[in-house]
Amino acid sequence: MHTETVENTREIGKRFETYTANWLRSQGYKILKQNFEAKHKEIDIIAMKKGTICFVEVKAEKLTADNANRDTPPEKITATKMRNIIIGANHYVEELR
């Protein structure tokens, strides 16, 4: 991948993470951590509402005619990514103890 494309992708990712965190706040969530890393696993946002901790993976994709009928962001979270989120979540909870 070209360097400009990688940087642009990172910028877009950061923008959507910020947007998502702001939206979660507007819905009454408290943002506990952003870009939490543990054992090389990252969780984009850790938020809490009414005593429930939520581990949020932000997915964004530019909508085009070519991809309009493809998987939606939740379907893009692979089994491997889900395992990584669980590992990261377990480490986060361990830090709270």
Side-chain angles (χ1 to χ4, degrees):
M1 189 179 288
H2 192 271
T3 304
E4 284 182 23
T5 304
V6 171
E7 290 174 9
N8 197 24
T9 300
R10 286 186 186 142
E11 287 176 22
I12 291 168
K14 282 299 240 185
R15 192 174 337 132
F16 274 95
E17 287 175 13
T18 299
Y19 172 83
T20 301
N22 289 336
W23 182 84
L24 287 167
R25 282 187 195 94
S26 77
Q27 300 301 304
Y29 288 85
K30 178 181 179 185
I31 304 303
L32 303 174
K33 296 270 184 181
Q34 285 188 252
N35 302 312
F36 175 77
E37 288 189 42
K39 298 214 176 206
H40 307 290
K41 313 298 184 215
E42 185 190 63
I43 298 175
D44 294 331
I45 299 170
I46 302 174
M48 180 185 280
K49 183 176 181 179
K50 297 181 181 178
T52 300
I53 298 174
C54 303
F55 300 91
V56 181
E57 173 69 16
V58 177
K59 292 289 187 187
E61 182 177 60
K62 184 177 179 180
L63 187 62
T64 66
D66 293 334
N67 69 11
N69 295 318
R70 290 200 331 224
D71 294 341
T72 59
E75 294 162 337
K76 292 183 178 294
I77 299 176
T78 64
T80 299
K81 182 62 180 178
M82 185 62 73
R83 278 191 300 275
N84 289 343
I85 292 169
I86 292 167
I87 291 167
N90 285 331
H91 285 284
Y92 179 78
V93 171
E94 283 297 318
E95 284 186 8
L96 295 178
R97 293 182 180 181

